[in-house]
Amino acid sequence: MTGQLTLEAYLQRYSETGPLALMVSAAIDAVATAAVEIADLTSRGHLSEVSGVATGHNSDGDLQHDLDVRTDEILRRYLSRIPIAAVASEEMREAEIRDPSAKICVAIDPLDGSSNIDINMTVGTIFSILPAPDDPTLAFHQRGTAQLAAGFVTYGPQTSLVLTVGEGVDIFTLDRAAGCFKLVRRGVRIAEGADEFAINASNRRHWDPAVRAFIDECVAGVDGPANRDFNMRWIGSLVAETLRILTRGGVFLYPSDARPGYGDGRLRLVYEAHPIAFIVEQAGGSASTGRERVLELAAQNLHQRAPLIMGTRHQVQRIEELHCDPLLVASVSAPLFARRGFFRL
Ligand code: FBP
């Protein structure tokens, strides 16, 4: 046990470390307060007037549910009460410049995995807190390494807040009776010897040879080069997959693939891949595109996608090795298999 330290007391301690930490704490507190409301809303399902019905598409063409819209409103309402230079959300076309004198910027994915809501599966809120650059229009073009804090909330059987302020990863659980988050796991470390992999295998025919080779090694189990058996999981909810990896280890892949529009995978860099990569690295794991560290990337535009391969360090390393394998690299550039070759229109 961790002595049931509340998030409020935790943030109070952290905020005493400096003026920037005070601003970051205020933003985390705002997200956590919004999350209590969102947890209530998502748990009511059809008893609520917003239950996850698809209502249209967001500015980037993704299917949008009524809960995406409502959770975005809730988060932005709480975030409007604190000084923020710029705020960005998956549900907004452009970032909003607010208070240019403020010291931090916040990016959010209000309801990640919302396509799972109608089947009562875990969904979540992801957030990334960045320093405000002199020109706030550049707020969300910073490298992931610039992040001051990142976290996500999972709305499942328990509502959990996973948080890093750059000093490891701590997990809090919502105590509904007390109406606050309490620390339940401190200094989370990703297990090394884990044998679970997660990928949407229905896209196999579109993957690069390196991804296919890695998954083939996993599936071959004791009969292949990995020389041990693996288990597969795919929840279709990034927050739930990340919580599993923080808890049990393993590897998650949403790689680039050859489907139109998936050349950089599916996940968004600023409010999905960056914060998840920061958390995973802080827990001793790795996060890569297959070719480079995710945290080294800087977005050219707010809704830019990035491949995300993350989890147990040695498994991510193995996938990176396969991306450099000369035979596999050669097969990508061979005309028949090239991205824009005969079979890749
Ligand atoms: P959204 O940002 O549209 O919610 O999509 C993100 C996500 O739901 C992730 O949570 C999940 O890992 C992935 O998409 C699942 O994608 P797919 O349906 O292609 O397997």
Side-chain angles (χ1 to χ4, degrees):
M1 285 301 279
T2 52
Q4 301 278 284
L5 184 71
T6 64
L7 178 65
E8 190 184 359
Y10 176 101
L11 292 176
Q12 174 65 37
R13 277 187 205 170
Y14 171 63
S15 65
E16 286 163 7
T17 61
L20 197 55
L22 184 63
M23 297 295 108
V24 170
S25 298
I28 296 168
D29 182 58
V31 172
T33 310
V36 176
E37 199 170 310
I38 296 169
D40 184 53
L41 191 65
T42 52
S43 70
R44 290 178 59 77
H46 287 282
L47 299 176
S48 149
E49 78 280 16
V50 281
S51 57
V53 182
T55 49
H57 293 85
N58 65 18
S59 60
D60 211 43
D62 288 343
L63 198 61
Q64 193 176 45
H65 299 80
D66 53 4
L67 266 173
D68 288 316
V69 177
R70 178 61 77 86
T71 52
D72 185 54
E73 280 168 12
I74 294 170
L75 280 153
R76 287 209 266 154
R77 171 157 43 87
Y78 283 99
L79 287 170
S80 69
R81 298 175 185 169
I82 59 165
I84 292 180
V87 66
S89 159
E90 178 171 26
E91 306 309 325
M92 297 160 71
R93 187 178 294 277
E94 305 280 355
E96 184 189 329
I97 308 300
R98 285 194 174 166
D99 173 358
S101 66
K103 300 287 178 239
I104 58 162
C105 308
V106 181
I108 50 170
D109 179 353
L111 202 63
D112 177 70
S114 56
S115 62
N116 278 321
I117 203 85
D118 57 347
I119 53 164
N120 198 8
M121 290 276 285
T122 298
V123 291
T125 295
I126 310 176
F127 62 95
S128 165
I129 304 177
L130 291 149
D134 292 340
D135 176 356
T137 63
L138 300 177
F140 303 107
H141 299 283
Q142 304 182 66
R143 287 177 198 265
T145 47
Q147 291 174 101
L148 301 167
F152 63 86
V153 182
T154 56
Y155 310 107
Q158 301 158 27
T159 295
S160 298
L161 168 67
V162 176
L163 177 66
T164 183
V165 291
E167 297 162 6
V169 175
D170 298 318
I171 302 185
F172 301 78
T173 294
L174 177 62
D175 180 339
R176 287 174 191 269
C180 66
F181 284 94
K182 291 181 176 169
L183 184 63
V184 292
R185 289 170 63 194
R186 192 193 281 274
V188 174
R189 303 298 292 172
I190 293 177
E192 266 302 315
D195 296 330
E196 283 183 336
F197 66 95
I199 191 165
N200 184 339
S202 68
N203 298 320
R204 187 181 190 283
R205 70 189 186 284
H206 305 296
W207 296 338
D208 280 350
V211 172
R212 228 178 291 167
F214 176 74
I215 300 301
D216 286 352
E217 285 184 9
C218 295
V219 172
V222 288
D223 300 327
N227 200 24
R228 59 187 205 280
D229 288 332
F230 286 80
N231 199 2
M232 199 197 87
R233 289 284 179 273
W234 186 250
I235 304 173
S237 170
L238 177 62
V239 289
E241 316 265 13
T242 308
L243 188 56
R244 186 190 63 247
I245 284 173
L246 290 169
T247 306
R248 301 208 298 239
V251 67
F252 165 98
L253 301 91
Y254 212 119
S256 58
D257 68 49
R259 287 174 293 163
Y262 284 77
D264 286 316
R266 170 174 181 141
L267 304 173
R268 312 302 167 139
L269 181 57
V270 172
Y271 42 80
E272 291 178 323
H274 269 168
I276 295 296
F278 188 22
I279 291 162
V280 165
E281 284 201 5
Q282 284 292 314
S286 298
S288 169
T289 64
R291 294 180 175 84
E292 57 194 320
R293 186 181 171 215
V294 168
L295 290 182
E296 293 296 339
L297 304 176
Q300 302 295 308
N301 65 71
L302 180 59
H303 300 291
Q304 182 177 322
R305 295 166 194 251
L308 177 63
I309 295 167
M310 58 87 176
T312 299
R313 193 189 289 259
H314 75 266
Q315 287 180 340
V316 175
Q317 203 180 333
R318 175 67 187 142
I319 298 164
E320 286 181 330
E321 278 166 18
L322 290 166
H323 277 86
C324 298
D325 183 304
L327 284 177
L328 294 172
V329 171
S331 69
V332 178
S333 50
L336 279 185
F337 297 100
R339 278 275 166 75
R340 291 177 217 294
F342 188 69
F343 293 128
R344 302 276 187 258
L345 298 176

